[in-house]
Amino acid sequence: MTTNQDNKKPQKVLATYALAALIIIFLLNIFVIPGLMERSVVETSYSDFLSALDSRQVKEVEFDTANYTIYYTMEQDGRPMICKTGLMYISDELIDRMTASGAEFASVIPTQQSPLLSLLVGLVLPVILFAGVGVLLSRMMAKSMTGGPGGAMAFGKSNAKIYVKSSTGIKFSDVAGEDEAKELLTEIVDFLHNPQKYREIGASMPKGALLVGPPGTGKTLLAKAVAGEADVPFFSISGSEFVEMFVGMGAAKVRDLFKQANEKAPCIVFIDEIDTIGKKRDGQIGGNDEREQTLNQLLTEMDGFDGSKGVVILAATNRPDSLDPALLRPGRFDRRIPVDLPDLQGREDILKVHAKKIKIADNVDFREIAKAASGASGAELANIVNEAALRAVRQGRRFATQADLEESIEVVIAGYQKKSRVLSEKEKLIVSYHEIGHALVAAMQTSSAPVHKITIIPRTSGALGYTMQVEEGEHFLMSKEELENKIATLTGGRAAEELIFHSITTGASNDIEQATKLARSMITRFGMHEDFDMVAMENVTNQYLGGDSSLACSPETQTRIDEKTVELVRAQHKKALKILQDNLAKLHELAKYLYEHETITGEEFMEILMRKQEVPAHAAAD
Ligand code: ADP
Ligand code: MG
Ligand code: ZN
């Protein structure tokens, strides 16, 4: 019974092919083959034939009485040609004309193919053709079902790219900063080069390492650098490639990838954006079966091979908390390599690495640029350098300067200067006071960072003015007081508007958003409110992608949190108002300067602020 069942499918397939073949043969016989056979015969009119006879061009003639056709040959452009025309009836006169013209009676009708040959062409050939195609197809299908490698068009084949030594051309020296990550990866490269050293002690390499960090910090770059440094083959595949195109192929691809890797060992397998397949299996009905199968296959394969053989798996993600815990247990991705946003030194190094690629003035102070670009990722820094080069070209210079770099920080962070957007005089004045409000509140609270630069040139990002703050040293911990001061600074813009114009504008929406977020976090996450002590009211997910948070408390508590948040912001807003009120003269002076010059640097700002108070005319007038 079982064999019968097994045979049923191929038989059915064969029957389908036979039917298709018959239909096609039928069509061929009707339309194509007769056409082919007659193609070389030219049809002419009867009078053409007669005039050709009279002008002695006709060589041979044959009457096909059965089909009422005359076939004749003549020469055209030196080449013989067979023509045909309708046969009226064979008169004596016609015969006379023919003899007179010197044409011969001969066999002209194009030779019919022998019946055997036409049978061959019409029937046997297509059958052979179809059988051939059928066999090919069924072989391919069988192969793709088992996920086997090879074959002309195997659908399940993994399309991992193989990098061999230095084919990427990227070395560790191209990756600036990230020293811890580089150290850990260097160890892996070293293991692949001389495993003996490690085996002697009895140490075995971790099977997998997971590069974790925010977008643009150089995870993919690091993996490529490993490929460049290692002497071994390097397979690279992106997580999304596992789930593309055909359902059910993801698992086959994983299997195939590991099979290839095992054959090529020692080698490195790199799975980029692993979160696309490695998401937590949630067991929901209607979950993504395809993804789960792929993940299961990956887990099985990672257990299946023996670590001492020298297959090291690297993966990168910016959503480590969404990964399935099974992936992270020892024996799989047991090593986590954090790839964080670069610190001041790191930023300077990254800028230098990328500056080598462009023509740049010798006197550029990269430290200054790195300071101003606090919080930028490696990708953003690379972009800043490129923008600087573009700006230099735009202005017809042959190399980039410090000013180009400074401008491009603002471009990358705040968007291009918008030349066409012209603020009305009144708006310009409001924006000036708003920005100075921020800066003044910041400067007056001792522990707030001084400003680097303020501009009121509108940006394409929509910001009308822009205050760039510089952190003098690196900050990792923030005290409650510093956070409160920051909120006060954020409210400073609006406070200045209230104080001077006695009306408020929409310009503070971004400030409000940030202030609220900060105040909320102080209460719900940092335990900085006496009412809630050290209880977390919020859980943060996706810490590398902006940090969404979800509330984890009762609705009553939520209401109280909301109230406390408002209280906190209000207190800081009051503080900002008071600071500005106390320094009204300076506020006027600074805002006037900004209004007139449109930009003010940190030094100019401090200079005006520290200047001996003269009796300001407009303050008195107020
Ligand atoms: P991701 O972490 O999102 O994978 P990438 O590795 O793709 O980020 O980095 C994008 C680009 O940013 C790189 O091609 C490189 O030009 C630049 N970059 C990021 N980090 C660094 C770094 N540490 N050193 C030099 N360039 C970097
Ligand atoms: Mg990447
Ligand atoms: Zn503002």
Side-chain angles (χ1 to χ4, degrees):
M1 276 311 277
T2 46
T3 44
N4 204 350
Q5 278 235 325
D6 285 345
N7 284 341
K8 225 170 199 168
K9 222 175 170 187
Q11 271 173 9
K12 208 169 168 186
V13 172
L14 214 69
T16 319
Y17 280 129
L19 195 71
L22 277 177
I23 291 172
I24 299 226
I25 291 161
F26 190 66
L27 293 177
L28 274 178
N29 272 321
I30 290 187
F31 296 110
V32 184
I33 292 176
L36 273 178
M37 283 178 171
E38 298 217 345
R39 208 177 44 187
S40 52
V41 179
V42 180
E43 191 141 12
T44 60
S45 70
Y46 192 65
S47 44
D48 280 347
F49 168 60
L50 289 183
S51 60
L53 261 188
D54 292 344
S55 58
R56 294 176 152 267
Q57 282 175 319
V58 177
K59 294 252 155 51
E60 296 159 324
V61 179
E62 183 177 4
F63 296 109
D64 183 358
T65 45
N67 293 315
Y68 299 100
T69 311
I70 304 172
Y71 288 93
Y72 63 98
T73 60
M74 54 187 279
E75 201 135 300
Q76 194 172 53
D77 307 330
R79 280 192 304 131
M81 179 171 77
I82 302 175
C83 304
K84 73 174 189 181
T85 187
L87 171 66
M88 307 288 130
Y89 79 111
I90 307 171
S91 63
D92 288 345
E93 196 227 327
L94 182 61
I95 306 287
D96 286 346
R97 254 172 119 159
M98 275 175 55
T99 18
S101 78
E104 283 177 35
F105 288 94
S107 125
V108 179
I109 302 176
T111 40
Q112 295 283 329
Q113 272 166 342
S114 75
L116 194 70
L117 195 71
S118 63
L119 190 78
L120 223 81
V121 170
L123 264 172
V124 183
L125 206 70
V127 169
I128 290 173
L129 233 131
F130 273 90
V133 170
V135 167
L136 214 85
L137 266 175
S138 62
R139 262 198 206 158
M140 245 156 55
M141 270 160 74
K143 213 167 253 168
S144 68
M145 272 175 212
T146 56
M153 281 169 58
F155 293 128
K157 196 162 160 45
S158 107
N159 35 13
K161 294 174 219 84
I162 301 181
Y163 294 111
V164 206
K165 185 194 173 194
S166 80
S167 68
T168 61
I170 295 170
K171 295 273 181 182
F172 276 146
S173 57
D174 291 315
V175 188
E178 309 300 349
D179 293 327
E180 303 88 346
K182 273 200 277 191
E183 198 180 307
L184 288 165
L185 290 170
T186 312
E187 194 182 85
I188 290 175
V189 170
D190 189 47
F191 169 77
L192 292 172
H193 281 176
N194 27 19
Q196 201 52 41
K197 200 167 83 186
Y198 291 82
R199 237 175 262 147
E200 268 166 19
I201 294 194
S204 68
M205 253 294 116
K207 272 189 190 172
L210 190 62
L211 296 159
V212 182
T217 45
K219 297 182 296 296
T220 309
L221 190 72
L222 270 168
K224 284 188 186 154
V226 171
E229 296 280 342
D231 254 330
V232 298
F234 184 87
F235 296 85
S236 154
I237 190 160
S238 166
S240 57
E241 284 169 48
F242 283 123
V243 250
E244 70 187 346
M245 226 156 53
F246 300 113
V247 180
M249 288 305 160
K253 271 188 185 167
V254 171
R255 215 175 307 140
D256 189 52
L257 175 66
F258 278 87
K259 195 163 169 231
Q260 282 187 46
N262 260 324
E263 283 162 7
K264 291 258 159 57
C267 69
I268 297 171
V269 176
F270 176 55
I271 306 175
D272 208 355
E273 316 287 353
I274 195 172
D275 44 283
T276 39
I277 48 167
K279 274 207 207 92
K280 281 194 189 90
R281 291 163 290 184
D282 45 14
Q284 270 174 13
I285 300 167
N288 193 337
D289 269 356
E290 162 72 354
R291 219 192 56 224
E292 286 194 7
Q293 276 176 21
T294 310
L295 176 57
N296 285 335
Q297 188 66 43
L298 183 65
L299 296 177
T300 320
E301 292 290 346
M302 286 195 76
D303 281 344
F305 69 85
D306 138 31
S308 63
K309 223 178 151 187
V311 181
V312 174
I313 303 165
L314 294 180
T317 181
N318 36 37
R319 312 181 55 189
D321 46 358
S322 77
L323 289 182
D324 196 283
L327 262 181
L328 302 173
R329 77 142 168 78
R332 290 182 184 138
F333 290 108
D334 43 7
R335 190 169 278 197
R336 210 183 244 240
I337 303 181
V339 186
D340 279 323
L341 288 175
D343 57 10
L344 182 58
Q345 186 61 46
R347 288 199 298 273
E348 190 181 335
D349 294 343
I350 293 173
L351 283 171
K352 281 181 182 157
V353 163
H354 287 281
K356 276 189 204 132
K357 297 176 196 160
I358 66 168
K359 288 218 177 82
I360 197 159
D362 300 330
N363 59 358
V364 169
D365 184 353
F366 288 105
R367 186 125 201 134
E368 270 303 302
I369 308 295
K371 263 189 199 166
S374 91
S377 69
E380 278 167 334
L381 292 168
N383 197 6
I384 285 171
V385 172
N386 190 47
E387 281 293 340
L390 290 178
R391 186 171 183 262
V393 174
R394 226 177 284 137
Q395 305 197 345
R397 269 176 284 117
R398 269 186 283 123
F399 53 86
T401 63
Q402 180 96 9
D404 290 329
L405 281 165
E406 268 170 14
E407 168 64 21
S408 58
I409 295 173
E410 289 166 50
V411 167
V412 170
I413 294 170
Y416 284 96
Q417 284 188 6
K418 212 164 191 178
K419 294 263 159 58
S420 60
R421 186 191 217 152
V422 182
L423 293 179
S424 72
E425 294 302 295
K426 168 95 177 166
E427 280 171 332
K428 215 170 115 182
L429 200 61
I430 294 177
V431 174
S432 301
Y433 274 99
H434 179 108
E435 295 303 327
I436 294 294
H438 284 304
L440 199 54
V441 172
M444 283 300 156
Q445 303 169 113
T446 42
S447 48
S448 273
V451 290
H452 175 78
K453 187 174 176 182
I454 308 170
T455 75
I456 53 166
I457 300 166
R459 298 273 151 185
T460 45
S461 68
L464 295 180
Y466 175 63
T467 302
M468 216 195 303
Q469 295 207 344
V470 188
E471 313 261 334
E472 269 305 323
E474 291 291 315
H475 262 297
F476 296 103
L477 286 176
M478 281 187 101
S479 66
K480 183 179 172 191
E481 202 193 0
E482 281 170 322
L483 285 172
E484 283 174 351
N485 287 346
K486 207 163 171 190
I487 296 175
T489 303
L490 285 166
T491 58
R494 164 65 68 83
E497 289 180 40
E498 286 171 83
L499 214 56
I500 307 298
F501 302 99
H502 307 291
S503 74
I504 51 183
T505 67
T506 53
S509 61
N510 185 37
D511 302 336
I512 291 170
E513 203 181 310
Q514 283 189 47
T516 311
K517 225 179 186 169
L518 255 169
R520 229 187 154 71
S521 303
M522 284 175 69
I523 295 169
T524 59
R525 288 171 47 213
F526 306 144
M528 286 179 177
H529 198 283
E530 57 275 12
D531 280 14
F532 300 106
D533 205 50
M534 284 180 63
V535 177
M537 305 292 172
E538 240 177 21
N539 295 323
V540 175
T541 47
N542 265 343
Q543 60 158 320
Y544 292 119
L545 296 175
D548 309 329
S549 48
S550 53
L551 280 172
C553 56
S554 69
E556 290 77 34
T557 316
Q558 276 179 36
T559 318
R560 278 179 59 214
I561 290 173
D562 291 339
E563 283 163 9
K564 301 289 168 203
T565 309
V566 176
E567 254 171 44
L568 216 163
V569 175
R570 177 168 291 144
Q572 295 312 312
H573 187 178
K574 281 224 177 86
K575 187 168 109 191
L577 273 169
K578 183 166 182 332
I579 291 176
L580 293 178
Q581 187 81 60
D582 292 348
N583 296 281
L584 204 56
K586 286 291 169 198
L587 176 62
H588 282 301
E589 198 179 346
L590 285 161
K592 185 163 172 265
Y593 185 95
L594 181 60
Y595 175 77
E596 279 163 5
H597 295 79
E598 296 202 340
T599 30
I600 182 170
T601 64
E603 288 94 64
E604 288 166 339
F605 181 89
M606 288 321 274
E607 199 226 291
I608 296 176
L609 193 61
M610 293 303 148
R611 209 187 280 163
K612 262 248 165 273
Q613 191 106 8
E614 49 208 78
V615 187
H618 41 275
D622 235 322

